Structures are given as structure tokens and as C-alpha cells.
Amino acid sequence: MLRKKECVAMLLAGGQGSRLYALTSNIAKPAVAFGAKYRIIDFPLSNCINSGIDTVGVLTQYQPLVLNEYVGNGQPWDLDRTFGGVHILSPYEAKTDTSWYKGTANAIYQNIRFMKMYDPEYVLILSGDHIYKMDYDQMLAAHKKAKADCTIACMEVPIKEASRFGILNTNPDGTIYEFEEKPAAPKSNLASMGIYIFTASKLFKYLELDEADPKSEKDFGKNVLPAMLNAGEKMYSYRFKGYWKDVGTITSLWEANMDLLGVTPNFELSDPDSEVHSRSPLAPPAFIEGEVVNSIVATGGEIEGKVINSVVGTNCVIEKGAEVIDSVLMGNITVKAGAKINYAIIDEEVVVGEKATVGLPKAEARKVESKTGGITVLGRGISVKKYGKVSAGEIADKNI
């Protein structure tokens, strides 16, 4: 008996993430740490299994080693299945028609055979660099009800930010009559979230047409979606009202981490009905002898200094007299005695030496002209020497 899946998910996780600078020098953006014990890819993978979708292709390309190892066989997300489950899909060489992924549409096109193995009725396309919880099953139900060929998840954004997104112009019934990719003068503030559900037969048809077009940039937003609209296919919008954050910049990544803090956090991770799963290391609770205020501290490590309004990952050591304020520490970090860290993002395996200073207090740092809005960034594995100084807004990817 031929087995099939009603819906398979394809997760685009091959982007370089250049606007995260030192944080993605050696790893793919979806593998970047987030929220003390997670990685960005945990969110779409958890959304899939929480939505009843148990077949996921993860398309990797740029610096995939850490991401591949992290995803592994998919066990933390209950995606270690004998039929379906999670599969890492890297570019491969064949006799014809294969190469590095040239764009989002080409990446999916190169994996048509993988999708067709499961004979799906529907295909869900996801990005691997967003922080959010979403029930894709509800979106699929809306797609079926509308008898749509393609459904695009969208949300309202401030009109002044709309030109950063693909913008949907819709009729009162939710059907889309126009799609504009990053328009200079947007007509609406309904932004595409980069989450699409296609009726599989239509997706395959338009991917093949796009691949045959030598003028195409092989991109969903620029080419495939406009082509479907122009051909009269039924395109439908699905409005999402929950928390969603594109963490493609240093500022947005810092903000998303800070959104986890506070008396009423903007984004709740502990809801058992929509749990975010991760391959977090097993470790005892952190030993806390210092002062921790309005912060998240993951397991392992020791906190003898002061942590205020910060997110501290697993196995971090903050020695006596050290201060960490308004910062994100990603894991396995040692902050030596007397060091001061302000308004910073520090990648894994970093050592900050005794009485070193990293960044400036937030109010002062934001006045500094930089590519990061004043946030100081230390890349993976580097060391800051004793009495060393890293300026506000500086991006350091080697020892200081």
C-alpha cells in the first residue's frame, strides 16, 4: 500500500544572515542561539510537530555543520520517524539541473523529488529565521476552505516599515489581487511572513515554469507568487495576530530576547499547549549566589556577580564583582571578576577577562553611530583580555 502525507513542510535554512555579522561568521542563521536555551530553528520545527506536520525537509547551504549536528535525527522535536520525520537537504551534484541553491524557489525546485516521495496534497514553505508560535493546521484549514492554490500568512506592520516586506493587497474576502515585493510606496501594511501553503500540484507546476525562465531570479516573492497571480490562480491571505519577529538583524535579535523578560513578557515560551522543543544540554540548575534581576538564566554555570535585564544561556560563569546588564549571553561564556558588560550580544565560548569593559550603558550606547544601533557584538570563541575594552557598537570577531 502506497503511503502518503497530506502536507509536508520545507524549511529554508540556508541563508548567510550577513546582517548578524560576527554571529553568523561560522554558522547558519537558523543555528544562532536564542532565549537562553534555544536556537532559532527550534521555533519552526516545534510549530510543525505541534501542528501535526511530521515530515520536514530542512534546506541547508551556508555553513551547515552546526545546524546539521543540532537537528540530528529530529528526536527533540519528535521528528525521528521511520516514514517522514526531519531530513537535511543540502545541494548535491547530479548529471543535470543541480548546483548551489540560486534562490528560495530554486532551492525548493531542486528538492521536488523529495516532496513527491510523500505524494502530498499540500506543501508548507517556511523560513528558518523567525521567532514565533503558529498553528499551521489552522492555516491549512483556511487554505482548504478557500479552495486556494496558494495561501500566504501575513500580519499588519506599521506603514512606515512596510517597504521592508513583501506586501499583500487584498479584497474584503481575503483574496489577494496584488503582491509587491518591498515596494517603495506600499499601498497597504499587510506584510507577508514568508510562510506559504501551496496546493502541491500548483507548486510543482510553477516551480518548473520558473526554472525554465532564464530571466527569473528564482525567488518566491519576486517571481513565483507574481506569476501565479498573473495567471489567475486563487491566492488567499491568512492573517496572523500573534507574536512574530524576523531576527535577521542585531537589533531585532536583541529585542526578541528582551521580549522574553518582564512581568508580562511579549512572548511566552512555557505554554504547554505550544511547547518549544530544543536540544538543550542536560545540566543542573545554575548556582546563583549573586544578584539576578528581571533576567533569564539557563541551567548549568555559576552566577556570583550581578545580572540585570539580561538573557544568560547554559553553562555561563559570571564571577564575583562582574556585571551583565541589558545583554544577551548565548552560552558557555565566562565573565571574569570585575568585568562590566552593557548592551551587548555575546556568542558562545567567549571569555571576558578581569575588569574588562564591553559596551556602554544602553542610553549612552544608543547615541553611538554604528551598524548595530549601539549594541556591542562579540563573535564565537573569542577572548577579551584583562582590562580590555570593547567599544559600544563594535563588532569583534577576533581576540581583543
Side-chain angles (χ1 to χ4, degrees):
M1 185 177 89
L2 178 67
R3 293 187 294 170
K4 60 181 289 179
K5 298 287 185 180
E6 180 186 35
C7 182
V8 300
M10 301 294 279
L11 175 53
L12 294 160
Q16 183 174 349
S18 58
R19 293 176 300 161
L20 290 178
Y21 304 109
L23 301 181
T24 49
S25 294
N26 300 301
I27 64 171
K29 182 162 55 171
V32 169
F34 175 82
K37 69 172 187 175
Y38 304 97
R39 296 187 185 273
I40 296 171
I41 198 169
D42 288 331
F43 292 84
L45 288 179
S46 297
N47 288 340
C48 282
I49 200 65
N50 291 339
S51 304
I53 296 171
D54 63 8
T55 305
V56 185
V58 179
L59 284 66
T60 64
Q61 180 160 283
Y62 171 80
Q63 295 281 12
L65 188 62
V66 172
L67 184 64
N68 292 358
E69 182 181 25
Y70 183 74
V71 172
N73 67 353
Q75 185 270 332
W77 306 273
D78 193 24
L79 287 169
D80 51 337
R81 306 296 178 99
T82 54
F83 181 65
V86 68
H87 298 261
I88 299 292
L89 303 173
S90 301
Y92 61 92
E93 186 174 355
K95 288 185 178 179
T96 59
D97 297 331
T98 57
S99 64
W100 291 108
Y101 298 147
K102 301 182 187 73
T104 54
N106 174 258
I108 301 297
Y109 169 80
Q110 287 201 37
N111 289 284
I112 279 183
R113 286 176 61 194
F114 169 80
M115 293 180 280
K116 287 185 174 179
M117 275 176 27
Y118 299 99
D119 190 23
E121 293 177 59
Y122 307 100
V123 177
L124 170 66
I125 309 290
L126 303 168
S127 296
D129 53 1
H130 300 149
I131 301 295
Y132 67 109
K133 289 183 181 181
M134 185 175 180
D135 187 345
Y136 303 136
D137 193 47
Q138 291 183 8
M139 183 177 171
L140 180 58
H143 177 86
K144 294 177 187 174
K145 184 177 179 181
K147 294 183 170 58
D149 299 304
C150 172
T151 297
I152 303 175
C154 57
M155 64 186 300
E156 293 184 4
V157 298
I159 193 69
K160 64 181 181 181
E161 295 180 18
S163 58
R164 293 175 42 222
F165 299 91
I167 294 297
L168 311 181
N169 298 316
T170 63
N171 297 309
D173 65 353
T175 54
I176 302 166
Y177 65 84
E178 186 178 29
F179 183 91
E180 297 181 286
E181 182 67 12
K182 298 181 179 177
K187 298 171 189 171
S188 86
N189 67 337
L190 207 55
S192 167
M193 298 167 64
I195 300 167
Y196 316 121
I197 290 180
F198 290 91
T199 297
S201 58
K202 295 288 186 179
L203 174 65
F204 301 154
K205 172 184 174 180
Y206 282 92
L207 285 177
E208 288 163 358
L209 289 171
D210 186 67
E211 191 63 24
D213 180 1
K215 296 179 181 178
S216 171
E217 296 180 52
K218 315 304 181 196
D219 184 84
F220 276 104
K222 295 177 183 175
N223 307 111
V224 174
L225 300 178
M228 290 183 72
L229 267 179
N230 292 338
E233 304 292 359
K234 188 171 184 183
M235 313 282 280
Y236 186 76
S237 61
Y238 178 78
R239 295 201 181 207
F240 177 70
K241 299 192 185 303
Y243 181 93
W244 178 86
K245 192 91 166 180
D246 180 339
V247 288
T249 67
I250 294 296
T251 302
S252 62
L253 180 61
W254 181 89
E255 288 173 348
N257 274 278
M258 293 300 116
D259 282 342
L260 301 175
L261 305 179
V263 178
T264 54
N266 291 346
F267 187 47
E268 180 58 63
L269 293 180
S270 59
D271 182 353
D273 293 330
S274 56
E275 184 179 355
V276 181
H277 308 273
S278 72
R279 193 184 290 278
S280 55
L282 293 174
F287 172 76
I288 299 176
E289 197 173 58
E291 181 182 0
V292 175
V293 179
N294 190 40
S295 297
I296 294 172
V297 177
T299 55
E302 300 176 10
I303 312 294
E304 294 184 280
K306 184 184 293 185
V307 178
I308 299 174
N309 199 45
S310 295
V311 175
V312 178
T314 54
N315 300 318
C316 287
V317 175
I318 299 171
E319 294 184 357
K320 199 168 185 177
E323 293 182 1
V324 177
I325 301 172
D326 294 322
S327 295
V328 178
L329 276 57
M330 290 186 168
N332 298 299
I333 293 164
T334 299
V335 183
K336 296 284 192 177
K340 302 286 190 285
I341 297 172
N342 274 285
Y343 200 46
I345 297 180
I346 300 182
D347 206 346
E348 297 169 293
E349 312 290 346
V350 168
V351 177
V352 178
E354 284 182 56
K355 297 188 177 178
T357 58
V358 176
L360 285 173
K362 183 169 63 174
E364 297 175 51
R366 284 178 168 172
K367 297 174 185 175
V368 175
E369 190 172 328
S370 72
K371 294 184 286 189
T372 65
I375 299 168
T376 304
V377 179
L378 303 187
R380 174 180 292 245
I382 73 169
S383 296
V384 179
K385 65 185 179 184
K386 185 176 182 179
Y387 297 111
K389 182 177 180 180
V390 189
S391 303
E394 186 174 343
I395 301 167
D397 57 4
K398 54 189 176 183
N399 294 343
I400 294 174

